[in-house]
Amino acid sequence: MPLVFLALDDTLLDRSGAYRLWAKGFLDEIGASQDDLDWLVAVDADGLTSRWDLADQIRDRYQLRVPAIDLVDELHEGPQAFERLDPMVGCALEIAADAGLVPVVVTNGATEQSEGRIRRTGLDRYVADWVISEQAGVSKPNPRIFALAAQKVRMRLAGAWVVGDSPEADIGGAAALGLPSVWLHRGREWMDTRFAPTRVVGNVIQGLSAIMAARA
């Protein structure tokens, strides 16, 4: 029964799609052009930009008088209102579990926010457990966070797979542990020369299928 460590953002949940939907509504709300959508997506950097820094950039660009803390709250909560668990992802997780895989979420982020997303979307019903970097005190790609995830479900790391969209956090973490990995390319080319994923696919459903095929 091998473990499968799965990223949360843009792997199990479509974080980028939810942010884009929020951004469209936000531009309408402040009376800005939808032509700015690509700018809002770019400065977000797949959520890697600090919410405080992003709030400052947005306030400066649109000369908003809203307090920064209010905009930070909006940046946290607004996109989450659009976030849904794809039923096909839930189905794929059920099939993987029936095939003997043990899915565990390993994500970088704030504990309350990340756990809230996992429970609110119903993802908690399809995974064995989850480890969040803030609570764990260590972030991906540090191998310790994967070891903590294995301990949490009382399983060994041997034979585990890592699935995610981040070359550094997910595939780099797998490489540090010597574990096989599946990279979700999201239309990108693999560029890192230090390590490489075992499989490259378009989405998490294909990723789980690739792991099951590799075990067959």
Side-chain angles (χ1 to χ4, degrees), residues 159-182:
W161 284 72
V162 179
V163 181
D165 76 303
S166 172
E168 182 71 28
D170 300 314
I171 310 309
L177 285 163
L179 297 177
S181 60
V182 179

Side-chain angles (χ1 to χ4, degrees), residues 43-59:
V43 295
D44 172 63
D46 279 343
L48 296 178
T49 303
S50 156
R51 298 303 86 177
W52 286 96
D53 290 343
L54 182 56
D56 286 342
Q57 291 185 61
I58 291 172
R59 290 173 76 232

Side-chain angles (χ1 to χ4, degrees), residues 167-168 171-172 183 189-197:
E168 182 71 28
I171 310 309
W183 182 54
E189 295 290 333
W190 183 264
M191 303 296 290
D192 206 311
T193 57
R194 297 169 298 167
F195 45 79

Side-chain angles (χ1 to χ4, degrees), residues 3-105:
L3 278 167
V4 180
F5 300 120
L6 295 139
L8 184 62
D9 291 349
D10 292 318
T11 297
L12 290 169
L13 296 179
D14 183 11
R15 187 259 170 207
S16 293
Y19 176 84
R20 180 174 283 270
L21 287 171
W22 167 82
K24 289 179 179 179
F26 176 76
L27 290 172
D28 284 341
E29 183 180 336
I30 64 174
S33 171
Q34 287 293 324
D35 291 342
D36 271 11
L37 181 60
D38 287 343
W39 178 82
L40 271 177
V41 170
V43 295
D44 172 63
D46 279 343
L48 296 178
T49 303
S50 156
R51 298 303 86 177
W52 286 96
D53 290 343
L54 182 56
D56 286 342
Q57 291 185 61
I58 291 172
R59 290 173 76 232
D60 289 345
R61 184 177 182 91
Y62 301 110
Q63 297 298 298
L64 301 179
R65 295 184 178 180
V66 60
I69 191 169
D70 291 347
L71 188 50
V72 167
D73 287 343
E74 173 68 13
L75 287 166
H76 279 304
E77 298 169 9
Q80 292 178 34
F82 294 95
E83 205 167 51
R84 304 285 186 273
L85 175 64
D86 184 340
M88 295 301 293
V89 171
C91 182
L93 287 167
E94 286 186 325
I95 292 170
D98 289 343
L101 304 183
V102 181
V104 178
V105 179

